[in-house]
Amino acid sequence: MLVLDAGNALFKSRDSAQAPDARARAELILSQMDAQGTAAMAVGTRDLGLGVGFLKRQTRKAKLKLLSANLADAKGQRLFPASLVTTVGGVKVGVVGVSPVTAKPVPVGRAAPGQAQEVVQGLPVQPAVAAEAKRLRETSKVDLVVVLAALPRDEALKLADQAEGVDFVVQSHEGRGPGMAQQQALATVIPPGARGREMAKLVLQLDGEGRFADAGVQARTRQQLRLLEGNLARAKTRLAGTQDARERQALETTVASLEANRAAYEKTLGGGATSGGRTHLLSYIQLGGDVPADPAVQKQVERVEPPGSAAH
């Protein structure tokens, strides 16, 4: 299992980083992500509320890696690693992080008396991802490339249309919550859930080559095909047993329609999208009251957000 976060995890909004409990809250989230085995997180807009320096200090000794292929300082120097490579279950995975594009350098973090405020800029996403995906494929020889995209959804969809060498784009920005895997021209966009209320679970079958097919769609299509073939067999039996011209004409039309639908289903199941091909299956684990809290972690949470407080 590979645990990833698409970013925008530390604050409810960029302005909420100014709250008195903001630092303790962000420190707790980062420490727990690390303790729970999160391998990487993209740096999103809502993660920069306390600045770049804070993020680097908090993760200096952590296994959790903060990634961004396009977040740079005012001089254009990248502030975080672009990617990491990890092996899970014998599969070599390249993980790339990206942050939102900015028209110009923007200040982040808290302004301190006598100190210059930190400034960052988001460089164009597509060239940064394309270059990193190519490097991961050619130099690191990865089997799979996942982009953690702390981007607005329309930008993530555009990236998935253009990102050569990318398999999945996990998108986080607006807090949309659960959704459907959306296959674009080159990659599939995955909504990861929002505000810690659910966790997206993506199960991959990597046998074969080519693009990943949605196993949920494949399963539904196979079921529909089985039902259709039963209806088609019955229609053909009725057609063979009737001599009435009007009824024969109606049945011939029905058979032709069912055969056309069968061809469409078979086309959906073709092209390497069989049960032995590369597939993905997206589901969500809802983190509601039926999922018990860890008592030790709960105590840490209540120190930051006491029961009965507006933030709890």
Side-chain angles (χ1 to χ4, degrees), residues 1-3 86-93 143-144 204-207:
M1 180 171 62
L2 177 61
V3 182
T86 185
T87 300
V88 184
V91 178
K92 201 171 185 181
V93 184
D143 303 303
L144 183 75
L204 303 181
Q205 170 67 44
L206 284 94
D207 293 341

Side-chain angles (χ1 to χ4, degrees), residues 227-247:
L227 293 172
L228 183 147
E229 286 177 336
N231 291 334
L232 180 58
R234 286 189 288 274
K236 287 183 174 180
T237 299
R238 288 181 59 194
L239 178 60
T242 184
Q243 299 299 320
D244 182 83
R246 184 175 296 179
E247 186 177 0

Side-chain angles (χ1 to χ4, degrees), residues 288-304:
D290 57 331
V291 179
D294 182 288
V297 176
Q298 185 67 31
K299 288 181 180 179
Q300 295 181 62
V301 171
E302 290 177 354
R303 288 194 206 101
V304 178

Side-chain angles (χ1 to χ4, degrees), residues 12 19 55 64 68 86 115 125 146 152 202 249 260 276 294:
K12 296 176 182 177
L55 293 176
L64 166 68
S68 181
T86 185
Q115 295 182 7
V125 169
V146 178
L202 189 66
Q249 185 178 11
D294 182 288

